[in-house]
Amino acid sequence: MDKTKGTIGTREFIAIIILTIGTKLEDDTPSLFFSSMGSAAWMAPIIIGVTTILPVFFILKIFTIYPNKTFVEIIKEVFGKYVGFFVLFALWIIQIYALIIDSSIYTDIMGTMYFNDTPTIVIYAVLISVAAYGAKKGFEHISSYAWIIIAGVKVTALTVLVLIVLQGRPEFIFPLFGTGKWEIIKGSTSYISIFADLFYFAFIASYLKSTKVLKKGMWIGLAFITIEISTAIMSYVMLFDFNGIKLIGYPYHESIRTIQLGFIRNTESLFFPFWLIATFARFSFYFYISVLLFSTLFKISQKEFIIPILATLIVFFGMIPETPTFAIYTLRGEFLKLVTPVFLFLPFVIWVLTKLKGGSKNDKKKAAE
């Protein structure tokens, strides 16, 4: 897991950002906005994306001050040994909880939409096993895999989008402001943590070839996923109408079942494999970050030994909800609201502390070059 330092380029970094956050348009994320925002749900990703500019800006400024340190080292430097440990531990708890919730949702998607006769535990175990294998191979393997599959995944996503637009009804996006401007703002800013993955990408900054790769990847990735998710949500509204879409848990998967492609039946069989391989890339990254933070916190050098333990715990806790379609959806919504302030303000707090600390002499010299 440690043989990846300084080897990841811009294209691989952008690819993993797009796959990690961009796949959220294909789970229950769009459904979070429909009930409160109606036909204006497509505006939420735009508002979230614009708001996320500030946290991303401060993250990048932090690495300008400390270009030679990892994000873990920076947090320990500015907060001190004990407070820094608490901050990192809290971030790990948030990340592992999100991993459990998201993996449970994706297991439910596969079980209810595609593999009805397969036991849930089997689907869950396969998903986490593949993610654990990817994490064990390291971030270089994950990012290279993301770069290899990104074209196929996005071409199929674009195909689905075009078919939805052609077969949907544009008038369904009206009224343009849905339930009202205030509801749009409130509903959007409550879920800023949907883009919190960008914060966790700071933990692998030292694995990138340079700080320029981090900056370029962050900005391009943020712009791309903002446009992509917004456009996808608008297309779902055009296909189902905002009243009908409120009753659908997984709009993307209902869409690929609904759209028609000539004489081909079961069109979802054409698009599902690409969604699946993108899912594996996403959870491999999540698992890698979880292992990285845990091993760093508790100074475990042999990270490979904790992978099966974490995998077992994730499956165990993820299997607890009896009705994940509804229970996990509610839990995820409340969880995203709860942690939104963390990812909105923590980068600013760290940046202020780095300015007060001023960085080490070597870091200052490097930043000035």
Side-chain angles (χ1 to χ4, degrees), residues 49-69:
V50 171
T51 309
T52 306
I53 288 175
L54 279 177
V56 171
F57 171 79
F58 287 120
I59 289 172
L60 297 178
K61 294 298 288 184
I62 290 167
F63 282 99
T64 300
I65 299 173
Y66 287 102
N68 297 322
K69 293 183 181 294

Side-chain angles (χ1 to χ4, degrees), residues 136-259:
K136 183 178 180 180
K137 297 292 288 184
F139 185 66
E140 182 179 16
H141 175 86
I142 298 171
S143 59
S144 297
Y145 172 72
W147 171 246
I148 291 171
I149 68 173
I150 187 70
V153 170
K154 291 309 162 186
V155 167
T156 55
L158 179 61
T159 303
V160 171
L161 176 62
V162 171
L163 290 172
I164 291 176
V165 171
L166 291 176
Q167 298 173 28
R169 299 178 62 179
E171 61 268 25
F172 282 168
I173 66 172
F174 297 98
L176 196 62
F177 292 103
T179 54
K181 297 178 181 179
W182 170 244
E183 289 298 327
I184 294 173
I185 296 173
K186 184 174 69 173
S188 301
T189 53
S190 297
Y191 295 111
I192 291 174
S193 56
I194 285 173
F195 284 6
D197 296 6
L198 290 169
F199 179 88
Y200 283 97
F201 276 109
F203 286 104
I204 52 89
S206 59
Y207 298 165
L208 306 179
K209 289 182 177 179
S210 67
T211 306
K212 290 182 179 180
V213 173
L214 179 69
K215 292 179 179 179
K216 186 181 294 186
M218 285 282 204
W219 291 127
I220 294 176
L222 176 60
F224 188 95
I225 59 178
T226 299
I227 296 171
E228 181 184 37
I229 297 177
S230 177
T231 305
I233 293 177
M234 180 185 290
S235 71
Y236 300 152
V237 176
M238 291 172 60
L239 187 63
F240 297 110
D241 189 16
F242 71 90
N243 287 316
I245 200 71
K246 293 178 182 178
L247 306 175
I248 298 175
Y250 307 122
Y252 173 80
H253 299 277
E254 290 294 346
S255 296
I256 62 177
R257 284 186 164 193
T258 303
I259 57 177

Side-chain angles (χ1 to χ4, degrees), residues 283-294:
F283 285 100
S284 292
F285 171 74
Y286 285 172
F287 205 106
Y288 181 84
I289 289 294
S290 181
V291 172
L292 178 67
L293 285 175
F294 187 84

Side-chain angles (χ1 to χ4, degrees), residues 19 29 113 329:
L19 287 181
T29 299
M113 305 292 288
Y329 171 81

